[in-house]
Amino acid sequence: MSDAVQVISAIIFNVEFITGSFGNGFIALRNIMDWIKRRKISTVDLLLTALAISRITVLWSLYIMLSIFVVYPDLKLAPQTVRLTNLIWVISNHFSIWLATILSILYFLKIANFSNSIFLYLRWRFKKVVSVALLLSLFLLFLNILVTNIRVDMCMNEFKANISYSYKLKNATYCFRLLELTNSMFTLIPFTVSMTTFFLLIFSLWKHLKKIKHISKSSRDTSTIVHIKALKTVVAFILLYVIFTLSTFVQLLSYEFEEKNFLNYFFFVGIIAFPSIHSWVLIMGNSKLRQPSLSVLSLLRSNIQGCGWTLGSLAH
């Protein structure tokens, strides 16, 4: 049973890694090429490009670290290695989450419909809102790095007396648990912001439908579609974020058990789903990216089928 779960998890993990790398790579490449061609880029496209690059870093760092730990399960880790590994993960994961959160705020400001003066001011100054949110995220990133480095130093001091500046991975569960718990606390802040924008979008849609009850059906449908599209994007983000958060807590729970490999499989599959699947949600929800991506997928499928026919002919 354990072997079967391991094989299935490995297949899902690799599929998520490949599709996520392709999706995020497509977003980044498409927007960068368009930026070079037009000599300008919109705020949304700039955020999407930065988000895609950060998620490529998340995917590859996760894949490399997991591969190393699978090949070398008893690998000795020096304090510098633990600190560097944690730093790469914290920075890439931080920007992956925060840029997606800022994107949801931007969608909310552009689509929601409130007569409140504060909302109207924020909508008018949406670039300033993005800048303030980025500065806030950088401040929280600094705090996150500072706290986790203190945690690493505390762990190293505990292991110095017995294992002389390095220790085996299986003896470091306490340290990794502290680091994951700390990082999880910082990721709850953007999650709260995203939930707030989600409920405000629902409230905006409800107010909009109530306001235009007596207006023509075509006008009502157009406005409703815009709201629903935005809600779909935010809902997908929140659901994947919930899976990501639950996977982290499953990993924290696994430290209570000696046989924790079964739970580890769910951790890696769940945690990589967020940066992988959400990229395709963003592509399908963006008219500028959706059609080119479908064309590329159709071309790839044709080439694969062509290779299949060629191999079949050679075999006969």
Side-chain angles (χ1 to χ4, degrees):
M1 179 66 181
S2 178
D3 291 338
V5 172
Q6 184 175 2
V7 170
I8 294 170
S9 300
I11 292 171
I12 296 173
F13 181 85
N14 281 282
V15 169
E16 287 177 334
F17 171 75
I18 293 169
T19 55
S21 297
F22 178 77
N24 287 296
F26 175 80
I27 293 173
L29 186 62
R30 176 73 182 179
N31 284 334
I32 290 172
M33 288 175 62
D34 193 57
W35 189 0
I36 294 171
K37 182 180 178 180
R38 298 175 181 270
R39 300 294 179 91
K40 62 179 181 179
I41 187 169
S42 66
T43 304
V44 172
D45 287 342
L46 186 60
L47 284 172
L48 282 172
T49 305
L51 177 61
I53 293 171
S54 70
R55 284 178 166 174
I56 291 171
T57 308
V58 168
L59 291 169
W60 278 94
S61 60
L62 261 177
Y63 194 85
I64 292 170
M65 285 188 287
L66 178 60
S67 300
I68 292 172
F69 292 154
V70 168
V71 176
Y72 305 103
D74 293 324
L75 180 69
K76 290 185 177 182
L77 299 178
Q80 293 81 5
T81 306
V82 176
R83 189 175 284 108
L84 178 62
T85 303
N86 181 70
L87 184 65
I88 293 171
W89 167 251
V90 168
I91 292 175
S92 56
N93 186 55
H94 177 90
F95 282 112
S96 171
I97 291 173
W98 266 101
L99 288 171
T101 302
I102 293 171
L103 202 59
S104 68
I105 294 172
L106 199 57
Y107 287 151
F108 164 70
L109 291 176
K110 286 193 169 189
I111 294 169
N113 188 16
F114 293 104
S115 58
N116 185 279
S117 58
I118 296 175
F119 173 80
L120 294 175
Y121 175 80
L122 293 175
R123 171 184 276 181
W124 183 51
R125 298 295 185 96
F126 71 91
K127 288 186 178 180
K128 186 174 288 188
V129 173
V130 171
S131 300
V132 171
L134 282 172
L135 287 174
L136 175 62
S137 73
L138 289 174
F139 173 71
L140 292 172
L141 174 61
F142 171 76
L143 282 181
N144 195 352
I145 293 172
L146 182 65
V147 173
T148 52
N149 279 337
I150 293 172
R151 298 286 194 190
V152 170
D153 290 335
M154 289 170 56
C155 292
M156 295 308 131
N157 289 332
E158 291 183 12
F159 286 110
K160 272 183 186 180
N162 298 324
I163 316 178
S164 304
Y165 296 96
S166 63
Y167 57 96
K168 289 186 177 180
L169 182 63
K170 63 182 181 181
N171 295 325
T173 55
Y174 174 72
C175 183
F176 283 121
R177 184 176 187 177
L178 280 177
L179 292 177
E180 286 184 17
L181 185 60
T182 303
N183 293 333
S184 299
M185 292 302 101
F186 278 95
T187 58
L188 287 176
I189 298 172
F191 178 72
T192 304
V193 175
S194 298
M195 287 296 295
T196 303
T197 59
F198 170 66
F199 286 119
L200 286 173
L201 269 173
I202 291 177
F203 183 63
S204 172
L205 176 60
W206 175 76
K207 280 190 66 179
H208 174 74
L209 292 174
K210 185 178 178 181
K211 182 178 180 180
I212 61 170
K213 188 181 294 184
H214 304 295
I215 300 179
S216 65
K217 188 178 185 298
S218 60
S219 174
R220 180 168 66 251
D221 287 345
T222 302
S223 301
T224 303
I225 287 170
V226 173
H227 272 82
I228 290 175
K229 280 184 176 180
L231 282 171
K232 284 180 179 178
T233 304
V234 178
V235 166
F237 169 65
I238 290 172
L239 286 176
L240 290 167
Y241 201 162
V242 168
I243 294 172
F244 173 87
T245 305
L246 287 176
S247 300
T248 303
F249 283 109
V250 164
Q251 179 69 359
L252 289 171
L253 181 65
S254 72
Y255 291 122
E256 300 293 334
F257 304 97
E258 293 183 4
E259 295 295 331
K260 58 185 180 182
N261 290 334
F262 184 80
L263 292 174
N264 279 339
Y265 300 146
F266 287 102
F267 166 70
F268 287 111
V269 168
I271 207 166
I272 202 175
F274 181 41
S276 297
I277 300 174
H278 190 239
S279 63
W280 287 100
V281 172
L282 293 173
I283 289 172
M284 292 299 109
N286 189 313
S287 57
K288 178 183 171 182
L289 296 171
R290 182 174 59 252
Q291 191 56 48
S293 68
L294 293 175
S295 300
V296 171
L297 289 173
S298 178
L299 181 62
L300 287 173
R301 185 173 60 182
S302 300
N303 289 335
I304 291 170
Q305 288 176 348
C307 290
W309 281 109
T310 302
L311 290 172
S313 301
L314 291 173
H316 288 293

